[in-house]
Amino acid sequence: MAQLFGAITMDDLETTYIENIGQRLVFDAATAYVAQANMDMADALRVFVEAEIEVWQERYKLPGGGRLQRRGGSAQSGAVKAGGSWDVAYPLEDFGAQIAGDDVTMAYMSAAELQRHVDTVIIQNTNTVRFEILKRAFNNVATTFIDPRRGSLTIQPLANGDTVTYPPVLGSEADATENHFLESGYAAAAISNTNNPFATIRGELDEHFGDMTGGENIVAFIHPDEAAETEALTNFDAVEDRFIRVGTNTDVPFNLPGVPGKIIGRVSGVWVSQWRWMPSGYIVGVHLDQPPPMRMRVDPSATGLGRGLQLVTTDMESPFSASHWRHRFGIGVGNRLNGVVMELGTGGSYSIPAIYA
């Protein structure tokens, strides 16, 4: 992680007190430092979040299907009604942390100590945003959020087999319901050429977004516990160690996508990313060339409340006597089709991971 005070060496950080730097200068440096951290996190999580939005609910729309109407003589065709729409809503919550101290504590606080405090807040913010995204991904039931200004909002999950009908899949002309929360019917240890979860996940996404010659840009996130079985699949092509020069007659993946975790290879037309934040026994698939599944609700610009993690204080002369850090946001699913969650199990139906239930 970069230094909060870029011009100060690491040795000087331990002996330089922030009171000598000037708390207003520290405030400005911290604000710029956090702004960069916000940008870095947004880049990493763009796989799941399409955009920041200010609306609390909307009708998500996709084109419909069907065929043109057969006409006779001068008969007028009936009006086209585009299908593929569903109502979604987004929560808006307030998350925060505080760095506080009396005048003696602040007088003896070194730049290095403040750096560690600020980095802790940034890490907590990253963990919070990631948790809210994964919680939304793994929950297969609609929830109610009580918005103090908008009332009760129904927050939808990915396609979960409810009554919503979606545009026709490839090979069909009729709108139909969809369920993208799957159970494999076999344990993680039983992943094999016969029990291939990646082919199943790819099929669920291909039928909605196309099946291009040469493959689609789909990624599946796994826990390290599933890496060995995945790498043992016959059609698995590994991403080689960057410190090793690959020899001839070896298939080597290229054009690797930038996604959370570590891309370990490609199998059955799917990139595989080993991401340690995935719960063991679950796989999440997302199509990278389609609108991501979620949107992040933020405060309207007109409120002046700002976006992302912010340092908020009421005392501009001495802001670190009690510095409050705030991030107001909420995660909701918009594109309910771009995401498939598979539980590797034999319980008969999908169950939410305990940590996200």
Side-chain angles (χ1 to χ4, degrees):
M1 183 173 290
Q3 282 186 212
L4 174 59
F5 307 102
I8 303 177
T9 66
M10 290 303 295
D11 290 338
D12 291 338
L13 282 174
E14 294 290 351
T15 56
T16 300
Y17 298 118
I18 63 171
E19 289 292 348
N20 295 331
I21 299 174
Q23 289 214 26
R24 182 52 200 255
L25 292 177
V26 173
F27 178 88
D28 292 341
T31 300
Y33 184 67
V34 171
Q36 182 60 51
N38 284 333
M39 292 175 60
D40 292 344
M41 184 180 66
D43 288 340
L45 298 179
R46 194 165 286 123
V47 170
F48 296 98
V49 179
E50 180 180 4
E52 291 183 346
I53 60 170
E54 298 179 357
V55 299
W56 60 95
Q57 63 184 13
E58 63 180 340
R59 178 156 292 179
Y60 199 94
K61 298 179 180 180
L62 291 177
R67 295 194 296 262
L68 293 176
Q69 300 159 40
R70 192 182 303 276
R71 299 179 58 187
S74 59
Q76 184 175 353
S77 303
V80 170
K81 181 179 180 181
S85 67
W86 51 89
D87 294 329
V88 292
Y90 308 101
L92 180 58
E93 300 185 80
D94 196 308
F95 300 91
Q98 180 183 180
I99 299 175
D102 57 25
D103 58 339
V104 175
T105 301
M106 301 309 294
Y108 278 93
M109 181 175 288
S110 67
E113 186 176 359
L114 178 61
Q115 170 97 44
R116 288 189 289 271
H117 286 315
V118 173
D119 285 343
T120 298
V121 173
I122 291 174
I123 290 170
Q124 290 178 350
N125 179 62
T126 301
N127 290 344
T128 299
V129 174
R130 181 183 56 248
F131 181 87
E132 293 300 309
I133 288 172
L134 291 180
K135 182 176 181 179
R136 192 65 62 199
F138 284 109
N139 269 263
N140 65 336
V141 294
T143 58
T144 299
F145 175 75
I146 307 300
D147 190 300
R149 293 172 180 81
R150 308 300 176 183
S152 296
L153 302 178
T154 301
I155 314 301
Q156 298 291 350
L158 295 169
N160 67 341
D162 57 13
T163 59
V164 173
T165 57
Y166 300 92
V169 299
L170 293 180
S172 173
E173 296 179 356
D175 292 358
T177 60
E178 275 291 333
N179 185 9
H180 282 192
F181 292 92
L182 313 176
E183 191 196 55
S184 62
Y186 49 85
I191 292 176
S192 65
N193 294 331
T194 301
N195 298 326
N196 185 339
F198 305 100
T200 302
I201 290 173
R202 185 200 68 219
E204 285 289 338
L205 293 171
D206 280 350
E207 68 180 9
H208 296 290
F209 303 117
D211 192 3
M212 184 184 300
T213 300
E216 294 288 330
N217 198 17
I218 294 171
V219 63
F221 296 96
I222 66 171
H223 185 274
D225 287 350
E226 284 74 62
E229 289 80 9
T230 299
E231 292 168 345
L233 294 172
T234 301
N235 63 345
F236 180 83
D237 292 314
V239 173
E240 299 298 332
D241 190 315
R242 66 189 179 96
F243 295 105
I244 296 176
R245 180 178 298 168
V246 180
T248 58
N249 301 320
T250 302
D251 292 334
V252 179
F254 68 101
N255 289 339
L256 275 64
V259 299
K262 177 181 70 174
I263 296 287
I264 62 173
R266 188 168 173 86
V267 62
S268 302
V270 176
W271 295 109
V272 181
S273 177
Q274 179 178 289
W275 195 21
R276 294 184 182 276
W277 295 103
M278 285 288 296
S280 180
Y282 290 82
I283 302 176
V284 174
V286 178
H287 199 303
L288 298 175
D289 291 341
Q290 299 297 325
M294 303 175 200
R295 295 185 175 184
M296 178 182 288
R297 180 182 167 192
V298 295
D299 291 297
S301 300
T303 64
L305 290 172
R307 299 179 179 182
L309 178 66
Q310 300 175 83
L311 173 54
V312 182
T313 182
T314 56
D315 184 356
M316 298 301 291
E317 294 302 319
S318 185
F320 281 93
S321 294
S323 61
H324 297 271
W325 304 76
R326 183 177 67 197
H327 191 178
R328 289 175 54 80
F329 73 96
I331 300 293
V333 172
N335 186 0
R336 299 183 67 187
L337 293 175
N338 191 9
V340 176
V341 183
M342 176 179 285
E343 178 188 8
L344 298 167
T346 58
S349 61
Y350 174 84
S351 57
I352 303 170
I355 189 174
Y356 297 116

